[in-house]
Amino acid sequence: MSVVQQLMEVAASDTDVLRSPDRNGDDFNISREVDFLFRVETKEKAEIVAGFINDYQYGTAIAQGDNGQHSVSVKIHMPVQQNIVLSVCGFMECIAQIFGAMYDGWGCNAQRR
């Protein structure tokens, strides 16, 4: 699948993710810690992806491994307005494509005024 197709799928999926908190009164303007997740095949690749993200201060990344499964968790303090979260998610998908990782989405706690 091309990068453009992946970006379109990520945007559609993330728009769907935003619908539930919107229905429940989330105030997307309030900054909160957002966790982005990459899945990778090896510990070494997890460390490379986390190192890249940390070196360029795109977020705070931690390489994780458990029972042969490896991942990278990236935390960014940010609002989740649709245009902002879709831009960051698109960037995360590009990082995944560059390093041969799988971008597995994002999550956060709802914030209400």
Side-chain angles (χ1 to χ4, degrees), residues 38 40 43-63 72-74 76 88 90-101:
F38 295 92
V40 295
K43 176 183 176 183
E44 293 76 21
K45 187 169 281 194
E47 290 171 351
I48 290 168
V49 172
F52 176 78
I53 290 166
N54 289 329
D55 287 350
Y56 291 98
Q57 300 178 5
Y58 293 127
T60 302
I62 298 171
V72 177
S73 171
V74 180
I76 301 174
V88 174
F91 179 68
M92 295 299 176
E93 180 60 39
C94 289
I95 289 174
Q97 294 288 319
I98 290 168
F99 289 101

Side-chain angles (χ1 to χ4, degrees), residues 31-85:
S31 289
R32 79 280 313 266
E33 186 172 77
V34 181
D35 187 29
F36 300 88
L37 185 65
F38 295 92
R39 304 238 181 244
V40 295
E41 295 175 2
T42 65
K43 176 183 176 183
E44 293 76 21
K45 187 169 281 194
E47 290 171 351
I48 290 168
V49 172
F52 176 78
I53 290 166
N54 289 329
D55 287 350
Y56 291 98
Q57 300 178 5
Y58 293 127
T60 302
I62 298 171
Q64 303 170 342
D66 188 31
N67 295 328
Q69 306 247 335
H70 302 282
S71 63
V72 177
S73 171
V74 180
K75 297 192 185 309
I76 301 174
H77 194 81
M78 58 182 271
V80 292
Q81 295 161 313
Q82 186 173 6
N83 62 324
I84 295 171
V85 78

